[in-house]
Amino acid sequence: MTNNTSETRTVVVEREIPHPPEKLWRALTQPHLIEAWLMKNDFDPVVGHRFNLRGEWGGVLDCEVLAIEPHRTLSYSWNFSHDDDAYDLKSVVTFTLTPTGAGTHLRMEQAGFRPSQRQAYGGAKAGWQQFLANLEQVLAGLD
């Protein structure tokens, strides 16, 4: 018998990006570029580095770099403390870059949404679509 209260959901968004992994990596790891497509931050691409993402809505996400494999994988915690269990999120975001003939296949996964967090899960599904659209605009402007 499964305990449904411990099951979590994952948001996955995949895109074909017409740029090489190295260029995409820059946008995923350089603070000024992260700010341009995601949020204000104090990111440093070092495993164990704790940083914050500050949303325009006033929220602050507590994050920690969990894994880095340059030009291939970036993973960090994405935690939002809130008194309401529906918004008190402890999740992990992972970006996986795979070179293709036309550029890079980008896979973004955010894992850890509890069943009681339907609204946060829905918000992440919509939010990541917008974030990745912003990312593509940033990439288009890079040399």
Side-chain angles (χ1 to χ4, degrees), residues 97-136:
L97 288 62
T98 305
T100 65
T104 305
H105 178 84
L106 172 64
R107 182 178 196 273
M108 185 293 311
E109 174 181 312
Q110 184 175 6
F113 294 92
R114 295 185 309 278
S116 63
Q117 297 178 313
R118 282 197 306 266
Q119 189 169 0
Y121 175 79
K125 283 180 73 170
W128 280 111
Q129 293 290 347
Q130 185 59 56
F131 289 145
L132 296 183
N134 295 346
L135 173 62
E136 289 192 63

Short mmCIF file of all heavy atoms in Angstrom, two decimals, residues 97-136:
data_model
loop_
_atom_site.label_atom_id
_atom_site.label_comp_id
_atom_site.label_asym_id
_atom_site.label_seq_id
_atom_site.Cartn_x
_atom_site.Cartn_y
_atom_site.Cartn_z
N LEU A 97 21.35 19.88 -20.22
CA LEU A 97 21.65 20.36 -21.56
C LEU A 97 22.22 19.21 -22.39
O LEU A 97 23.18 18.56 -21.97
CB LEU A 97 22.66 21.49 -21.52
CG LEU A 97 22.22 22.85 -21.00
CD1 LEU A 97 21.78 22.81 -19.56
CD2 LEU A 97 23.33 23.86 -21.16
N THR A 98 21.62 18.96 -23.55
CA THR A 98 22.10 17.92 -24.45
C THR A 98 22.34 18.54 -25.81
O THR A 98 21.40 19.08 -26.42
CB THR A 98 21.04 16.79 -24.57
OG1 THR A 98 20.73 16.31 -23.25
CG2 THR A 98 21.57 15.65 -25.42
N PRO A 99 23.59 18.47 -26.32
CA PRO A 99 23.87 19.04 -27.64
C PRO A 99 23.05 18.33 -28.72
O PRO A 99 22.86 17.12 -28.66
CB PRO A 99 25.37 18.78 -27.84
CG PRO A 99 25.91 18.36 -26.53
CD PRO A 99 24.76 17.85 -25.71
N THR A 100 22.59 19.12 -29.69
CA THR A 100 21.89 18.57 -30.85
C THR A 100 22.51 19.17 -32.10
O THR A 100 23.32 20.10 -32.01
CB THR A 100 20.38 18.92 -30.81
OG1 THR A 100 20.24 20.34 -30.94
CG2 THR A 100 19.73 18.45 -29.51
N GLY A 101 22.10 18.68 -33.25
CA GLY A 101 22.61 19.22 -34.51
C GLY A 101 22.24 20.68 -34.70
O GLY A 101 22.96 21.43 -35.35
N ALA A 102 21.13 21.10 -34.11
CA ALA A 102 20.65 22.47 -34.29
C ALA A 102 20.90 23.37 -33.08
O ALA A 102 20.47 24.50 -33.05
CB ALA A 102 19.15 22.44 -34.60
N GLY A 103 21.57 22.85 -32.04
CA GLY A 103 21.83 23.65 -30.84
C GLY A 103 21.85 22.80 -29.59
O GLY A 103 22.73 21.98 -29.40
N THR A 104 20.82 22.99 -28.73
CA THR A 104 20.79 22.29 -27.45
C THR A 104 19.36 21.90 -27.09
O THR A 104 18.43 22.70 -27.24
CB THR A 104 21.32 23.22 -26.32
OG1 THR A 104 22.62 23.69 -26.68
CG2 THR A 104 21.40 22.49 -24.99
N HIS A 105 19.21 20.69 -26.61
CA HIS A 105 17.93 20.27 -26.01
C HIS A 105 18.03 20.62 -24.53
O HIS A 105 18.92 20.12 -23.83
CB HIS A 105 17.70 18.77 -26.20
CG HIS A 105 16.42 18.31 -25.57
ND1 HIS A 105 15.20 18.40 -26.19
CD2 HIS A 105 16.18 17.79 -24.34
CE1 HIS A 105 14.26 17.95 -25.38
NE2 HIS A 105 14.83 17.57 -24.25
N LEU A 106 17.14 21.48 -24.05
CA LEU A 106 17.12 21.89 -22.65
C LEU A 106 15.95 21.20 -21.96
O LEU A 106 14.81 21.26 -22.43
CB LEU A 106 16.95 23.41 -22.54
CG LEU A 106 16.73 23.96 -21.11
CD1 LEU A 106 17.95 23.71 -20.24
CD2 LEU A 106 16.39 25.44 -21.16
N ARG A 107 16.27 20.54 -20.85
CA ARG A 107 15.23 19.93 -20.02
C ARG A 107 15.31 20.58 -18.65
O ARG A 107 16.36 20.55 -18.01
CB ARG A 107 15.45 18.43 -19.89
CG ARG A 107 14.36 17.73 -19.08
CD ARG A 107 14.63 16.21 -19.04
NE ARG A 107 13.47 15.46 -18.62
CZ ARG A 107 13.15 15.21 -17.34
NH1 ARG A 107 13.91 15.67 -16.36
NH2 ARG A 107 12.08 14.51 -17.05
N MET A 108 14.20 21.20 -18.22
CA MET A 108 14.11 21.79 -16.89
C MET A 108 13.13 20.95 -16.10
O MET A 108 12.03 20.66 -16.56
CB MET A 108 13.60 23.23 -16.98
CG MET A 108 13.58 24.00 -15.66
SD MET A 108 12.46 23.49 -14.34
CE MET A 108 10.90 23.33 -15.16
N GLU A 109 13.55 20.55 -14.92
CA GLU A 109 12.70 19.75 -14.03
C GLU A 109 12.67 20.40 -12.66
O GLU A 109 13.71 20.73 -12.11
CB GLU A 109 13.27 18.34 -13.93
CG GLU A 109 12.57 17.45 -12.95
CD GLU A 109 13.20 16.07 -12.88
OE1 GLU A 109 13.45 15.47 -13.95
OE2 GLU A 109 13.46 15.61 -11.76
N GLN A 110 11.47 20.62 -12.13
CA GLN A 110 11.33 21.09 -10.76
C GLN A 110 10.55 20.02 -10.01
O GLN A 110 9.36 19.82 -10.27
CB GLN A 110 10.62 22.45 -10.66
CG GLN A 110 10.57 22.96 -9.23
CD GLN A 110 9.98 24.36 -9.10
OE1 GLN A 110 9.49 24.95 -10.05
NE2 GLN A 110 10.03 24.89 -7.89
N ALA A 111 11.21 19.36 -9.09
CA ALA A 111 10.62 18.22 -8.36
C ALA A 111 10.38 18.59 -6.91
O ALA A 111 11.17 19.30 -6.30
CB ALA A 111 11.57 17.02 -8.43
N GLY A 112 9.26 18.06 -6.36
CA GLY A 112 9.02 18.22 -4.93
C GLY A 112 7.68 18.82 -4.54
O GLY A 112 7.48 19.15 -3.37
N PHE A 113 6.75 18.97 -5.48
CA PHE A 113 5.44 19.54 -5.14
C PHE A 113 4.59 18.49 -4.45
O PHE A 113 4.36 17.41 -5.00
CB PHE A 113 4.72 20.03 -6.40
CG PHE A 113 5.41 21.18 -7.07
CD1 PHE A 113 6.33 20.97 -8.08
CD2 PHE A 113 5.14 22.48 -6.67
CE1 PHE A 113 6.97 22.02 -8.70
CE2 PHE A 113 5.78 23.55 -7.29
CZ PHE A 113 6.70 23.32 -8.30
N ARG A 114 4.14 18.80 -3.25
CA ARG A 114 3.26 17.88 -2.51
C ARG A 114 1.84 17.97 -3.06
O ARG A 114 1.47 18.97 -3.68
CB ARG A 114 3.30 18.21 -1.02
CG ARG A 114 4.68 17.98 -0.39
CD ARG A 114 4.69 18.20 1.12
NE ARG A 114 4.13 19.46 1.57
CZ ARG A 114 4.78 20.64 1.57
NH1 ARG A 114 6.03 20.70 1.15
NH2 ARG A 114 4.20 21.73 2.01
N PRO A 115 1.01 16.93 -2.83
CA PRO A 115 -0.37 16.95 -3.33
C PRO A 115 -1.17 18.18 -2.89
O PRO A 115 -2.02 18.66 -3.63
CB PRO A 115 -0.97 15.67 -2.75
CG PRO A 115 0.19 14.76 -2.57
CD PRO A 115 1.34 15.65 -2.18
N SER A 116 -0.88 18.72 -1.71
CA SER A 116 -1.61 19.89 -1.21
C SER A 116 -1.18 21.18 -1.91
O SER A 116 -1.74 22.25 -1.65
CB SER A 116 -1.38 20.05 0.30
OG SER A 116 0.00 20.29 0.57
N GLN A 117 -0.20 21.10 -2.81
CA GLN A 117 0.35 22.29 -3.45
C GLN A 117 -0.07 22.41 -4.91
O GLN A 117 0.73 22.77 -5.78
CB GLN A 117 1.88 22.29 -3.31
CG GLN A 117 2.30 22.35 -1.86
CD GLN A 117 3.79 22.30 -1.68
OE1 GLN A 117 4.48 21.47 -2.27
NE2 GLN A 117 4.30 23.19 -0.85
N ARG A 118 -1.35 22.15 -5.17
CA ARG A 118 -1.84 22.20 -6.56
C ARG A 118 -1.66 23.58 -7.18
O ARG A 118 -1.29 23.70 -8.34
CB ARG A 118 -3.32 21.79 -6.62
CG ARG A 118 -3.52 20.30 -6.53
CD ARG A 118 -4.89 19.89 -7.00
NE ARG A 118 -5.97 20.59 -6.33
CZ ARG A 118 -6.61 20.14 -5.27
NH1 ARG A 118 -6.29 18.99 -4.74
NH2 ARG A 118 -7.58 20.84 -4.73
N GLN A 119 -1.92 24.63 -6.41
CA GLN A 119 -1.80 25.97 -6.97
C GLN A 119 -0.33 26.32 -7.26
O GLN A 119 -0.01 26.88 -8.30
CB GLN A 119 -2.41 27.01 -6.03
CG GLN A 119 -2.52 28.38 -6.67
CD GLN A 119 -3.36 29.34 -5.84
OE1 GLN A 119 -3.87 29.01 -4.80
NE2 GLN A 119 -3.48 30.57 -6.34
N ALA A 120 0.57 25.95 -6.35
CA ALA A 120 2.00 26.20 -6.57
C ALA A 120 2.50 25.40 -7.78
O ALA A 120 3.27 25.91 -8.59
CB ALA A 120 2.80 25.84 -5.32
N TYR A 121 2.01 24.16 -7.91
CA TYR A 121 2.39 23.31 -9.04
C TYR A 121 1.91 23.95 -10.36
O TYR A 121 2.67 24.07 -11.32
CB TYR A 121 1.78 21.92 -8.86
CG TYR A 121 2.00 20.97 -10.01
CD1 TYR A 121 3.21 20.31 -10.17
CD2 TYR A 121 0.99 20.73 -10.93
CE1 TYR A 121 3.42 19.44 -11.22
CE2 TYR A 121 1.18 19.85 -11.98
CZ TYR A 121 2.40 19.21 -12.13
OH TYR A 121 2.59 18.35 -13.17
N GLY A 122 0.66 24.38 -10.38
CA GLY A 122 0.12 25.03 -11.58
C GLY A 122 0.86 26.32 -11.90
O GLY A 122 1.14 26.62 -13.06
N GLY A 123 1.20 27.06 -10.86
CA GLY A 123 1.96 28.30 -11.06
C GLY A 123 3.34 28.03 -11.63
O GLY A 123 3.81 28.76 -12.50
N ALA A 124 3.97 26.95 -11.17
CA ALA A 124 5.30 26.59 -11.69
C ALA A 124 5.21 26.16 -13.15
O ALA A 124 6.06 26.52 -13.96
CB ALA A 124 5.92 25.49 -10.84
N LYS A 125 4.16 25.40 -13.49
CA LYS A 125 4.01 24.96 -14.89
C LYS A 125 3.92 26.16 -15.82
O LYS A 125 4.57 26.21 -16.86
CB LYS A 125 2.76 24.09 -15.05
CG LYS A 125 2.96 22.68 -14.56
CD LYS A 125 1.72 21.82 -14.74
CE LYS A 125 1.51 21.47 -16.18
NZ LYS A 125 0.46 20.47 -16.38
N ALA A 126 3.13 27.15 -15.44
CA ALA A 126 2.98 28.36 -16.26
C ALA A 126 4.23 29.23 -16.16
O ALA A 126 4.72 29.76 -17.16
CB ALA A 126 1.75 29.14 -15.82
N GLY A 127 4.76 29.37 -14.95
CA GLY A 127 5.92 30.24 -14.73
C GLY A 127 7.15 29.80 -15.51
O GLY A 127 7.84 30.63 -16.10
N TRP A 128 7.43 28.50 -15.52
CA TRP A 128 8.61 28.02 -16.23
C TRP A 128 8.49 28.23 -17.74
O TRP A 128 9.48 28.47 -18.41
CB TRP A 128 8.92 26.57 -15.89
CG TRP A 128 9.64 26.46 -14.58
CD1 TRP A 128 9.16 25.95 -13.41
CD2 TRP A 128 10.97 26.92 -14.30
NE1 TRP A 128 10.11 26.07 -12.42
CE2 TRP A 128 11.22 26.66 -12.93
CE3 TRP A 128 11.96 27.54 -15.05
CZ2 TRP A 128 12.44 26.98 -12.32
CZ3 TRP A 128 13.16 27.86 -14.45
CH2 TRP A 128 13.40 27.58 -13.10
N GLN A 129 7.29 28.15 -18.27
CA GLN A 129 7.11 28.45 -19.71
C GLN A 129 7.56 29.89 -19.98
O GLN A 129 8.28 30.16 -20.95
CB GLN A 129 5.64 28.24 -20.13
CG GLN A 129 5.18 26.82 -20.06
CD GLN A 129 5.80 25.93 -21.14
OE1 GLN A 129 6.40 26.39 -22.10
NE2 GLN A 129 5.67 24.63 -20.95
N GLN A 130 7.14 30.82 -19.11
CA GLN A 130 7.51 32.22 -19.29
C GLN A 130 9.00 32.44 -19.04
O GLN A 130 9.66 33.15 -19.80
CB GLN A 130 6.68 33.12 -18.37
CG GLN A 130 6.93 34.60 -18.59
CD GLN A 130 6.64 35.04 -20.01
OE1 GLN A 130 5.54 34.84 -20.51
NE2 GLN A 130 7.62 35.66 -20.68
N PHE A 131 9.53 31.83 -17.97
CA PHE A 131 10.97 31.99 -17.69
C PHE A 131 11.81 31.51 -18.88
O PHE A 131 12.78 32.16 -19.27
CB PHE A 131 11.38 31.19 -16.45
CG PHE A 131 10.88 31.74 -15.14
CD1 PHE A 131 10.52 30.88 -14.12
CD2 PHE A 131 10.79 33.10 -14.91
CE1 PHE A 131 10.07 31.36 -12.90
CE2 PHE A 131 10.34 33.60 -13.70
CZ PHE A 131 9.98 32.73 -12.68
N LEU A 132 11.46 30.37 -19.45
CA LEU A 132 12.25 29.83 -20.56
C LEU A 132 12.07 30.64 -21.84
O LEU A 132 13.00 30.75 -22.63
CB LEU A 132 11.96 28.35 -20.76
CG LEU A 132 12.36 27.46 -19.58
CD1 LEU A 132 12.10 26.00 -19.88
CD2 LEU A 132 13.80 27.67 -19.15
N ALA A 133 10.90 31.25 -22.03
CA ALA A 133 10.72 32.17 -23.15
C ALA A 133 11.64 33.38 -22.95
O ALA A 133 12.30 33.85 -23.90
CB ALA A 133 9.26 32.61 -23.27
N ASN A 134 11.72 33.88 -21.72
CA ASN A 134 12.63 34.99 -21.39
C ASN A 134 14.07 34.57 -21.64
O ASN A 134 14.88 35.35 -22.16
CB ASN A 134 12.47 35.42 -19.93
CG ASN A 134 11.13 36.01 -19.62
OD1 ASN A 134 10.35 36.35 -20.49
ND2 ASN A 134 10.82 36.11 -18.33
N LEU A 135 14.42 33.35 -21.26
CA LEU A 135 15.77 32.83 -21.46
C LEU A 135 16.13 32.84 -22.94
O LEU A 135 17.23 33.26 -23.32
CB LEU A 135 15.87 31.40 -20.90
CG LEU A 135 17.17 30.65 -21.17
CD1 LEU A 135 18.36 31.34 -20.54
CD2 LEU A 135 17.05 29.21 -20.66
N GLU A 136 15.21 32.43 -23.79
CA GLU A 136 15.49 32.42 -25.23
C GLU A 136 15.72 33.83 -25.76
O GLU A 136 16.58 34.04 -26.61
CB GLU A 136 14.36 31.71 -25.98
CG GLU A 136 14.37 30.22 -25.72
CD GLU A 136 13.46 29.45 -26.65
OE1 GLU A 136 13.73 29.47 -27.88
OE2 GLU A 136 12.51 28.81 -26.16
#
